[in-house]
Amino acid sequence: AQSVTQLGSHVSVSEGALVLLRCNYSSSVPPYLFWYVQYPNQGLQLLLKYTTGATLVKGINGFEAEFKKSETSFHLTKPSAHMSDAAEYFCAVSRSGTYKYIFGTGTRLKVLA
Amino acid sequence: EAGVAQSPRYKIIEKRQSVAFWCNPISGHATLYWYQQILGQGPKLLIQFQNNGVVDDSQLPKDRFSAERLKGVDSTLKIQPAKLEDSAVYLCASSPRGAGEVNTEAFFGQGTRLTVV
């Protein structure tokens, strides 16, 4: 069975500071990993994804994530937070992209001026 | 390219009433998903279709929820009768390829926010 754990339901950072949102997964098969962002009253928008190949993946809006198999992690980072990054972020796992997407419980990012 | 369309955006009903949600996926997408997102939680898969067949409905409360995808295009999700705990956002998503093939992204609609009072 697959599962996703997001550590920290709420994260606050100052504008310009590093953003680090944590995601750990459990999967018995090679996973596909995703980060989605959800703005208020909106659907989910894909930030970035890991399928195969390079373990450091770059996404939209300056975000990136690194797949670390030994740590079963896929943490999301951004060097400098912007006010517009305030949203809820969801990590998800899929069994090699052929099956359902399983989401974590989400991390709400607050950016302080 | 048009995105995933859902309607209505908001719905308020009394408990024991029935309600239906509609989803039109991105044109040509074979796989369609319905997710339930309760406040403060991540989306949970209710049902997954490939074309007009059900791939996974293991978490669909079948005593009150039903879904169909006629002609393998748009889909409706129905709740009858609704309970207070059904209050949530119902998200529809689609992916271009079918089950057993590699899907590298699910595209989500804006969701329908259901409030049961």
Side-chain angles (χ1 to χ4, degrees):
Chain A
Q2 294 180 304
S3 65
V4 172
T5 301
Q6 291 184 241
L7 295 176
S9 58
H10 292 81
V11 170
S12 293
V13 299
S14 298
E15 190 173 22
L18 172 72
V19 175
L20 171 61
L21 304 182
R22 299 178 186 274
C23 172
N24 288 88
Y25 70 90
S26 172
S27 179
S28 58
V29 298
Y32 280 23
L33 295 159
F34 307 82
W35 275 100
Y36 281 86
V37 62
Q38 186 175 37
Y39 297 100
N41 298 316
Q42 298 293 319
L44 281 75
Q45 178 185 7
L46 183 70
L47 273 178
L48 50 80
K49 61 190 177 188
Y50 168 78
T51 54
T52 58
T55 56
L56 180 63
V57 293
K58 296 184 184 299
I60 62 172
N61 301 338
F63 284 94
E64 63 182 37
E66 186 171 10
F67 170 59
K68 293 187 176 180
K69 185 178 179 180
S70 61
E71 299 178 8
T72 62
S73 68
F74 191 58
H75 301 331
L76 181 70
T77 61
K78 181 174 180 178
S80 177
H82 191 273
M83 297 298 288
S84 61
D85 295 327
E88 189 148 25
Y89 292 80
F90 292 94
C91 182
V93 63
S94 171
R95 190 175 71 193
S96 300
T98 61
Y99 199 50
K100 62 187 177 185
Y101 297 81
I102 297 172
F103 287 85
T105 52
T107 297
R108 186 171 297 278
L109 176 66
K110 185 175 182 179
V111 181
L112 307 172
Chain B
E1 179 180 77
V4 176
Q6 290 188 247
S7 67
R9 287 294 313 277
Y10 305 92
K11 189 75 176 179
I12 301 174
I13 62 171
E14 295 182 349
K15 59 184 178 183
R16 291 188 289 274
Q17 285 187 322
S18 62
V19 64
F21 312 127
W22 175 81
C23 172
N24 190 21
I26 294 173
S27 178
H29 279 197
T31 303
L32 185 147
Y33 314 81
W34 282 102
Y35 281 85
Q36 180 192 56
Q37 186 179 16
I38 294 173
L39 185 65
Q41 300 181 19
K44 182 186 80 172
L45 181 71
L46 291 176
I47 189 167
Q48 177 181 349
F49 292 94
Q50 178 193 350
N51 298 313
N52 60 350
V54 175
V55 174
D56 184 347
D57 63 356
S58 58
Q59 297 199 79
L60 187 73
K62 299 180 186 61
D63 58 332
R64 298 184 300 106
F65 286 64
S66 64
E68 60 183 7
R69 190 183 184 195
L70 299 176
K71 301 179 182 178
V73 182
D74 55 351
S75 176
T76 56
L77 176 70
K78 297 179 182 178
I79 308 175
Q80 181 180 12
K83 293 184 175 182
L84 295 177
E85 58 261 36
D86 298 331
S87 294
V89 175
Y90 291 85
L91 294 165
C92 179
S94 68
S95 294
R97 296 175 179 82
E101 299 176 296
V102 175
N103 273 310
T104 58
E105 183 177 352
F107 296 82
F108 284 81
Q110 290 186 303
T112 296
R113 181 178 298 276
L114 173 67
T115 303
V116 182
V117 298

